[in-house]
Amino acid sequence: MRIRIIAAVALGLALSACSQADKPAEDTSAGSTSTAPKPFTAAEKAQVDKATAEYTTYVQEELAGLVDGTTEFVAALKSGNDDEARAIYPNARTRWERVETIAAEFGDLDPAIDAREAGLSEGEEWTGWHRLEKDLWPARATNYTPLTDAEQAKLADKLLADTKTIQEQGEDLKITVTDIVEGSQGLLEEIAGGKVTGEEEYWSRTDLWDFQANLDGAWKGFDLLKPVIEGRDAKLAAKIDEQFGAVQGLLDATKRADEFVTYDKLTKAQIKELSNAVNALGESVAEVSAVLP
């Protein structure tokens, strides 16, 4: 999808350059028209302030929930109840996936809890959720040696300690309207780049739980800013609303008895349909940046 977009833009620029060659240069003096969005009105500023405050609270609540879920996961692991740990794993991780695009705020703690094996640098220590995921679901691994109880407990304790530090640091977050807009775009890119492809939860195949959580976070950001977006471009707001609903409908269709199927149970047609819908939604959400100052 991105390749086609880039090609189309390049062609458009080339045609534009040709058509402009025979035209006189445009006046770029102070009297020329600007395409930059108008600054927020006082009423819009009040709506934006409300949205940023509510989104900050949302992020902090999700991080608090992440600590709770991680605590349960670690307790199950350390008690030797692997089946319970497997059941907790995808639901606990949704708390992180909903707010994943603020991960950069936490520096090295992000890869410490969420690095995937495929993304490791040579010699880099692997810790966090996905290291423990591989140990709980080793079926796809070749010549895998399971962690000892002591190794598993050490990794679990570090995961919980790092998660608690993230939650504490989250209390000082200062989120802007740009953070919300770019965060929503980023979460949709996360879906397109890792969840809809089945790369994120390689061992457990629980990618659809992450997909839903990323969608939740992006939708939350849009909903909070929707009054402002509607006031500036009602057609765009309605289109995004409809597209969010369309993606959710496709995702709901992958559930069996109110729970998502694992990624390997999806058909190629379902994966393509989900991918196309997410890409279309992402392109529309990207237009919001041109509407808001």
Side-chain angles (χ1 to χ4, degrees):
M1 176 64 75
R2 288 179 181 170
I3 293 173
R4 292 200 294 271
I5 294 169
I6 292 169
V9 171
L11 177 59
L13 290 173
L15 292 174
S16 176
C18 291
S19 64
Q20 292 296 320
D22 297 326
K23 292 183 180 181
E26 292 182 1
D27 181 12
T28 57
S29 63
S32 62
T33 303
S34 172
T35 57
K38 295 178 181 178
F40 289 127
T41 65
E44 287 176 329
K45 182 66 168 58
Q47 290 173 318
V48 165
D49 289 345
K50 182 174 182 289
T52 54
E54 289 186 16
Y55 193 78
T56 300
T57 299
Y58 172 72
V59 169
Q60 292 167 343
E61 289 175 348
E62 290 302 316
L63 293 179
L66 178 65
V67 171
D68 292 341
T70 305
T71 299
E72 293 177 9
F73 175 73
V74 168
L77 269 182
K78 294 179 72 173
S79 69
N81 194 336
D82 287 356
D83 286 341
E84 184 181 359
R86 290 187 191 99
I88 293 170
Y89 176 89
N91 295 303
R93 276 185 50 74
T94 58
R95 298 291 198 154
W96 177 248
E97 294 292 332
R98 288 191 185 111
V99 297
E100 190 175 12
T101 54
I102 51 92
E105 299 290 331
F106 306 116
D108 291 341
L109 288 170
D110 171 29
I113 73 164
D114 201 34
R116 292 187 298 113
E117 187 173 23
L120 295 175
S121 302
E122 186 175 351
E124 183 180 356
E125 182 184 12
W126 189 22
T127 62
W129 285 104
H130 295 301
R131 179 64 189 91
L132 293 165
E133 175 201 5
K134 183 176 182 178
D135 203 55
L136 287 169
W137 287 275
R140 301 183 76 191
T142 302
N143 299 322
Y144 180 69
T145 301
L147 295 170
T148 65
D149 289 346
E151 289 171 332
Q152 193 181 73
K154 182 179 178 180
L155 283 164
D157 286 341
K158 176 173 169 50
L159 171 63
L160 182 56
D162 288 342
T163 302
K164 287 180 176 179
T165 301
I166 286 173
Q167 193 257 330
E168 290 166 6
Q169 291 183 4
E171 293 301 311
D172 297 322
L173 283 175
K174 296 192 183 341
I175 291 176
T176 67
V177 64
T178 301
D179 293 331
I180 298 176
V181 173
E182 293 182 352
S184 292
Q185 290 177 235
L187 286 169
L188 295 173
E189 288 169 4
E190 283 287 332
I191 296 173
K195 279 66 175 187
V196 80
T197 60
E199 296 173 22
E200 180 76 11
E201 306 291 350
Y202 180 83
W203 309 104
S204 63
R205 315 310 297 266
T206 55
D207 302 271
L208 293 178
W209 280 260
D210 291 0
F211 188 135
Q212 179 67 72
N214 284 163
L215 187 69
D216 290 342
W219 209 339
K220 179 70 172 181
F222 168 71
D223 271 346
L224 290 174
L225 291 174
K226 185 178 172 182
V228 182
I229 299 168
E230 277 183 326
R232 290 179 169 238
D233 193 333
K235 187 178 290 187
L236 175 62
K239 179 171 74 168
I240 292 173
D241 233 352
E242 182 179 344
Q243 289 174 322
F244 266 117
V247 175
Q248 185 62 64
L250 293 173
L251 201 50
D252 288 343
T254 69
K255 289 183 177 180
R256 298 293 180 271
D258 295 325
E259 188 167 276
F260 292 116
V261 299
T262 51
Y263 185 83
D264 52 304
K265 300 296 192 300
L266 295 179
T267 66
K268 289 182 179 179
Q270 283 178 305
I271 294 170
K272 182 177 181 181
E273 199 171 16
L274 284 164
S275 179
N276 289 343
V278 168
N279 283 330
L281 172 60
E283 289 169 14
S284 297
V285 170
E287 294 179 37
V288 172
S289 295
V291 173
L292 304 182

